[in-house]
Amino acid sequence: MPSLLPPILALLCFGAPAPALTASPAAAAGPAPPSAARRAGAEAAAAAAAAAAEDPWCPYKVEAEGAAGGRLCFRTPARGFQCAARACRAHRSPGGALVANVLRNGSVLLQWGPPRPAAGLRGFALNCSWDGTYTRFPCDSVELGAACRDYLLPEAHGSVRYRLCLQPRYAPPRPAPPAQCVEFRVEPAAMRDIVVAMTAVGGSICVMLVFICLLVAYITENLMSPALAGAAGAAAPRRA
C-alpha cells in the first residue's frame, strides 16, 4: 500500500493552488457609455487640432491646371505679419475670415484664422481664378494642411483682378462649410516703378530747394549785410 506522506509534505511546502485570475474592474464595469466615448473622441480631436496649430511647418500641394497631382512641399508660416500702409494693401473677404495682403513687389500673402469647429479638420482647399477680357480663367489650386494659417503667392500679374476662395475640409460625415472669397487687383509693375521714380525725384527736388534757400539766407546775412553797412557809413560824412 503506498504511503500518503509524500503528497502531504508537498502540500505543506508549496501551499494550495492559486485561484483563477479575476476580471479587471474596467471589464467588470462594462463598456463605457456612448456619450463618454464621443466626448473623449472630441477632446482628443481638439487636442490634435491645437497641436497642429502650433506646428512650425505648413504642408501644401500645388495642383497645376490640367495636371493629375502635385508635389508635397513645406513652408514656414509668416506669424506676426502686419500689413504696413506704405508697402502693403489689405483686402478682406465679406466675412472677414480671409485677408489678402498685396505687397509692393507683386506678391500676395493670404492669412486666415482657425476655423470653427476645429474637431475633424483635415485641411484647406484654395481655389484661384482671374478675370480675362471676356471670361474668367482658373489658376493653380492649392491643398493646404490643417496647421496652415497663411499662404504666399510669389508672383501675381499686374492689372488683373484675382478671386481667391478658401474652404476648410472636414472628415466625413461633416459637410464642408461655405468658402471665404476675396477679390483684389495687383498694381502694374510699370506703375509701381513710375511711382517709385516720381517719389525719388520729388524728394531730390525738395532737398535741392531747401539747400538753395539756406544758401540764399547765408549770403544775405553774411555777405550782403557788411557791404550795405560800409556803403551807408561812407555816405554819411559826405552829407555832413
Side-chain angles (χ1 to χ4, degrees), residues 6-148:
I8 294 175
L9 293 177
L11 181 62
L12 292 176
C13 293
F14 297 101
L21 296 176
T22 58
S24 62
S35 59
R38 287 196 298 268
R39 190 181 302 109
E43 293 177 356
E54 298 177 357
D55 193 351
W57 296 101
C58 169
Y60 69 96
K61 182 187 296 185
V62 180
E63 297 182 354
E65 180 66 19
R71 184 179 61 179
L72 181 63
C73 302
F74 296 87
R75 62 179 300 270
T76 305
R79 292 190 176 91
F81 174 82
Q82 294 182 356
C83 185
R86 295 184 177 181
C88 174
R89 179 175 297 179
H91 303 267
R92 297 183 178 273
S93 61
L98 181 62
V99 181
N101 302 294
V102 182
L103 305 179
R104 181 171 293 179
N105 59 0
S107 58
V108 181
L109 179 64
L110 300 174
Q111 291 179 312
W112 61 89
R116 295 290 184 270
L121 180 65
R122 285 190 170 182
F124 303 90
L126 180 63
N127 297 319
C128 170
S129 61
W130 56 278
D131 288 337
T133 306
Y134 301 102
T135 184
R136 180 179 291 273
F137 298 94
C139 316
D140 297 341
S141 59
V142 184
E143 294 183 0
L144 300 114
C148 299

